[in-house]
Amino acid sequence: MRLTELPLRQPAYVDLIDWSALSASEGQRLREFGLCEGASVEALHHGGLWGKGPIACKVGRMTIAMRRNHAAAVTVRTGPDAAP
Amino acid sequence: MSVLPLVALVGNPNAGKSALFNALTGARQKLGNYPGVTVERKAGRLALADGRPVELVDLPGTYSLNAASPDEQVTRDVVMGRQAGERQPDALVIVVDASNLDNHLRFALELIALGLPTIVALNMVDLATRDGLELDAAVLSRELGVPVIATVAVRKRGLDHLREELGGLLGSVAPEAKAPLPERDFDAVRDEARRIARAAIVRETPSRRLTAAVDRVALHPLFGLLLLLGLLFVMFQAVYAWSEAPIAMIEGLAEAAANSVRDALPDGMLRSFLVDGVINGVGSVVVFLPQILILFFFILMLEATGYMVRAAFLMDGLMARVGLSGRAFIPLLSSFACAIPGIMATRTIADPKDRLTTILIAPLMTCSARLPVYAVIIGAFIPARDVLPGVGLQGFVLFCLYISGIIGAMLVALILRMTVTKGASGGFLMEMPKYQWPRPQDIVLGLWQRAVIFLKRAGTIIFTSTVILWLLLSYPKPPEGSAVSQVDYSIAGRIAGGLNVILEPIGFNRDISLALIPAMAAREVAVSALATVYSIDAGDDEALLERSLGDRLKDQWPLPTALAFLAWFIFAPQCISTIAVTRRETNGWKWPLFMVGYLFVLAYVAAGLTYWTATAAGL
């Protein structure tokens, strides 16, 4: 599923990142934040009163915020054998 | 004298670099700029364990040597010895956050590969422990091949050890020129960083996560927003409630000074200059120091605790609607203190159009220089009663003025994004640091630096404009027995008379026209200018002289005029320093001129609408 659909506080792992949906600098910044295939990820908060705001999520040990259009580029998997 | 060895403090944002810099250098800091760019250079002197002095420079935080913004370019160029106006550092102190090793070690590995003598400060180990993370600095040091010292900057832990190691590093023979390591793939470095981080972790137990608990409320779509509004409301109430006593004290001092000059000197030009120009003019601005410091106190606290990023997160949804990024909220909130650091803080916004729009609306955030103007008018015209228990009407009006500025800014941003800065909106990508309790000394140091800047302004720009205004107001003298008042007869009075043709329709009188000219130098001069005008107007009338500026305004201005004056200052064309910094940040005159133009129009229209509405309502 996409990171935008991941229920809050459910541990997951990054399966795939559609780098083409991100600009070069956005992709670079996300990599620097530790976002890569296989990284552990957990959605923490959805901002905005009408669900249109950014998403705060934990990537590894870091908490980062990103907009929904960026989060939609990240596919995650959950479940017992999701860990790489 | 030989040049001091230069040590650069470098690391990721939120690694606690500035706290470490403050702890190492104390109050002996020098703020400056790198030539050609507006990135602030922060340097200080540090004494090594053996007493040798070293120059320590705090570089802007960045995530890698692959720089995205102007700030980050400076960091890259300094450590590589390519930055104009800075020599290559003799040693690096890499600051890493102990609880975020995976990420911070990746950048550390990039820096270590440069081959400069290096120490790693494993900072904020206390917060890591709080989160159940135990680390072995010795393992880390062995893996990285450089000394690693556990530090807690805010508690001054590990600093002596750091000074000792640094001494050893700088005392050794000149750094041998290492062959630069072959450039490695980003992913390879990241994987190595992960491996090292895993090796250094002794124990990891799940524990109470303070940050997560607080964020459940602070980032909640509804409660978080209410909390943010509540915080801002408390901030503006405090600006009034906490400042009463210190303001009364400063006023008392100014009055005592004026009285002793009056007693000591015979009536004449010198006495008038000292009392009307210097003491009344500058004093009427200095009196707002307590309120400005209270405002800065809140902003520094919000920044240092890590809350500011949460505010940006909460606001991103709203900011996106007007085509901005939540990131813009931080420069905009800083602009409440002063638009200059606010405009400079836009450098962290990567998207050029986002950044330009943010710069253009920054002056609409009510800066602290407008506070004296608001304070004196509100104090004179708005009764000091409670609208609700504990909520004063004066504080409420002030809050509304700030909100009007914000709404105005949002509307302007929306229009700009559809016209002159049209284009796709940039994103919102931010790290959310852990909450932490700031070190009181860091806050005090920040307030002290602000107070010095404000008093310097009062002593230079404000003093000069007040003195020039006094001269223009005092000459020429009207002939003996003339019915024309001194102010009307003076050069300034005649200029204002001309200007008044334009400003009269929106309810402004001659005195306001007079005050608006020097207010271009610095907005708060409007207050000192009014004080000087009324001081000269009063002449030798003891009864009039003893009345406060507020009381005299109340006698002479109808309420609609006062309200129009407030409305004018919500949008008031900004001070010369803001225009200058905008020119520097946008590399030309086009945007600063555009900014001044649109602000003038907005101010005129807003003041006019207020005046006509208030008059029609019979106020």
Side-chain angles (χ1 to χ4, degrees):
Chain A
M1 73 180 99
R2 288 167 190 276
L3 179 52
T4 40
E5 299 150 1
L6 181 67
L8 293 185
R9 283 176 269 283
Q10 180 179 338
Y13 290 88
V14 175
D15 201 18
L16 204 75
I17 300 168
D18 178 9
W19 297 109
S20 66
L22 306 163
S23 74
S25 62
E26 287 162 356
Q28 162 82 12
R29 199 26 53 95
L30 280 177
R31 281 160 177 276
E32 288 166 357
F33 284 167
L35 197 77
C36 59
E37 278 93 0
S40 71
V41 61
E42 186 185 335
L44 295 176
H45 306 277
H46 286 183
L49 274 177
W50 299 276
K52 289 271 174 61
I55 295 179
C57 54
K58 210 164 155 170
V59 176
R61 285 176 202 291
M62 198 154 145
T63 308
I64 61 173
M66 60 175 123
R67 280 199 179 152
R68 300 182 67 82
N69 58 335
H70 295 142
V74 180
T75 313
V76 299
R77 54 172 187 265
T78 56
D81 40 317
Chain B
M1 200 193 88
S2 65
V3 187
L4 295 182
L6 181 70
V7 175
L9 214 51
V10 52
N12 286 54
N14 305 311
K17 220 161 41 64
S18 294
L20 189 62
F21 179 77
N22 284 346
L24 285 170
T25 59
R28 291 159 297 173
Q29 300 182 1
K30 235 176 79 190
L31 301 178
N33 265 305
Y34 287 105
V37 283
T38 46
V39 177
E40 196 171 66
R41 181 184 189 272
K42 221 166 126 191
R45 191 169 285 201
L46 151 79
L48 296 176
D50 56 12
R52 274 182 298 158
V54 163
E55 188 179 11
L56 190 69
V57 55
D58 185 15
L59 296 178
T62 172
Y63 293 97
S64 74
L65 289 176
N66 204 329
S69 66
D71 274 51
E72 300 177 1
Q73 282 161 17
V74 164
T75 300
R76 181 197 61 202
D77 291 346
V78 169
V79 296
M80 297 186 135
R82 297 197 306 223
Q83 173 66 47
E86 188 82 279
R87 47 211 160 99
Q88 185 166 32
D90 299 290
L92 299 180
V93 174
I94 305 176
V95 190
V96 298
D97 173 4
S99 43
N100 201 354
L101 276 186
D102 304 27
N103 267 302
H104 289 197
L105 282 185
R106 196 192 45 71
F107 184 35
L109 285 171
E110 271 186 61
L111 290 166
I112 291 169
L114 293 172
L116 292 170
T118 298
I119 296 181
V120 168
L122 186 61
N123 199 23
M124 307 202 278
V125 280
D126 57 334
L127 292 189
T129 316
R130 187 182 80 183
D131 287 348
L133 197 63
E134 215 172 298
L135 298 162
D136 190 337
V139 172
L140 206 54
S141 172
R142 200 178 58 225
E143 291 281 346
L144 293 172
V146 299
V148 174
I149 294 153
T151 54
V152 181
V154 289
R155 310 260 170 278
K156 295 213 167 200
R157 256 166 57 194
L159 301 190
D160 289 339
H161 192 182
L162 188 68
R163 286 194 187 94
E164 224 168 85
E165 279 291 338
L166 203 54
L169 213 57
L170 290 168
S172 58
V173 280
E176 72 255 49
K178 274 193 210 168
L181 294 174
E183 197 133 313
R184 286 188 298 171
D185 177 45
F186 184 94
D187 291 350
V189 182
R190 180 194 61 212
D191 291 343
E192 193 188 342
R194 289 215 174 134
R195 185 186 60 76
I196 297 176
R198 222 165 293 142
I201 293 172
V202 178
R203 199 178 15 236
E204 191 180 6
T205 45
S207 69
R208 192 175 58 97
R209 308 258 166 146
L210 177 72
T211 296
V214 176
D215 271 346
R216 276 181 194 231
V217 180
L219 294 185
H220 189 276
L222 179 63
F223 300 126
L225 214 53
L226 291 177
L227 181 71
L228 175 61
L229 283 179
L231 272 174
L232 294 180
F233 191 76
V234 167
M235 175 165 117
F236 295 126
Q237 286 286 327
V239 162
Y240 267 90
W242 299 357
S243 62
E244 264 173 47
I247 285 181
M249 217 175 71
I250 298 175
E251 275 174 348
L253 281 176
E255 209 177 295
N259 283 337
S260 58
V261 169
R262 249 184 232 122
D263 291 346
L265 292 176
D267 191 10
M269 207 184 79
L270 183 65
R271 192 174 101 170
S272 164
F273 169 73
L274 286 177
V275 174
D276 302 332
V278 181
I279 298 174
N280 277 336
V282 177
S284 60
V285 173
V286 171
V287 97
F288 295 101
L289 182 64
Q291 294 183 326
I292 284 163
L293 290 184
I294 292 168
L295 191 68
F296 267 111
F297 169 76
F298 276 91
I299 287 178
L300 288 172
M301 284 297 283
L302 292 181
E303 260 175 2
T305 51
Y307 182 76
M308 203 69 120
V309 178
R310 270 74 186 181
F313 179 85
L314 289 169
M315 297 309 289
D316 184 63
L318 186 69
M319 304 290 271
R321 275 163 203 262
V322 296
L324 286 175
S325 147
R327 207 175 244 281
F329 185 71
I330 298 175
L332 292 179
L333 196 58
S334 310
S335 300
F336 281 125
C338 174
I340 294 163
I343 288 172
M344 282 168 46
T346 61
R347 282 186 309 244
T348 58
I349 301 174
D351 185 84
K353 282 181 173 163
D354 264 10
R355 177 160 179 252
L356 178 60
T357 315
T358 311
I359 290 175
L360 290 176
I361 63 169
L364 285 174
M365 300 294 122
T366 304
C367 69
S368 52
R370 259 173 275 196
L371 200 54
V373 182
Y374 286 170
V376 81
I377 303 293
I378 289 177
F381 291 93
I382 309 294
R385 58 182 169 83
D386 282 0
V387 278
L388 284 170
V391 179
L393 182 62
Q394 294 185 331
F396 180 73
V397 169
L398 184 68
F399 184 69
C400 291
L401 288 169
Y402 275 81
I403 295 290
S404 311
I406 296 168
I407 294 173
M410 295 297 115
L411 291 177
V412 170
L414 194 64
I415 294 166
L416 289 177
R417 279 309 237 154
M418 291 192 294
T419 54
V420 287
T421 57
K422 202 164 165 175
S425 170
F428 174 67
L429 284 175
M430 265 187 117
E431 178 185 353
M432 307 193 102
K434 287 193 171 60
Y435 285 110
Q436 75 177 299
W437 201 245
R439 206 168 66 110
Q441 291 96 310
D442 288 347
I443 301 290
V444 170
L445 185 64
L447 285 179
W448 168 250
Q449 287 169 343
R450 297 302 157 192
V452 169
I453 291 171
F454 176 75
L455 290 176
K456 264 192 193 157
R457 266 165 75 90
T460 52
I461 301 178
I462 298 170
F463 175 79
T464 316
S465 2
T466 310
V467 168
I468 292 173
L469 185 69
W470 173 83
L471 277 172
L472 294 179
L473 277 171
S474 302
Y475 297 94
K477 299 271 177 216
E480 203 71 41
S482 159
V484 182
S485 81
Q486 167 63 48
V487 172
D488 280 331
Y489 199 78
S490 69
I491 301 172
R494 294 175 206 197
I495 297 174
L499 196 64
N500 211 23
V501 177
I502 307 167
L503 295 174
E504 208 168 12
I506 59 169
F508 286 9
N509 54 33
R510 179 208 65 191
D511 306 332
I512 297 180
S513 308
L514 254 176
L516 289 184
I517 309 168
M520 278 299 282
R523 288 189 190 89
E524 58 268 53
V525 173
V527 173
S528 57
L530 286 173
T532 306
V533 172
Y534 288 122
S535 197
I536 289 178
D537 235 4
D540 289 329
D541 190 333
E542 293 284 336
L544 264 181
L545 276 173
E546 268 168 29
R547 307 201 56 187
S548 74
L549 177 59
D551 285 345
R552 271 191 247 166
L553 292 177
K554 211 170 163 180
D555 292 345
Q556 308 208 357
W557 292 13
L559 184 57
T561 293
L563 296 178
F565 190 63
L566 286 178
W568 173 275
F569 266 90
I570 295 175
F571 303 102
Q574 65 290 353
C575 60
I576 285 167
S577 324
T578 309
I579 300 171
V581 79
T582 306
R583 195 201 69 80
R584 208 170 52 176
E585 294 287 330
T586 59
N587 292 319
W589 279 110
K590 180 181 165 192
W591 292 112
L593 289 177
F594 173 79
M595 185 156 91
V596 174
Y598 99 77
L599 286 171
F600 252 119
V601 173
L602 273 185
Y604 192 87
V605 171
L609 284 178
T610 308
Y611 180 71
W612 303 320
T613 313
T615 310
L619 290 175

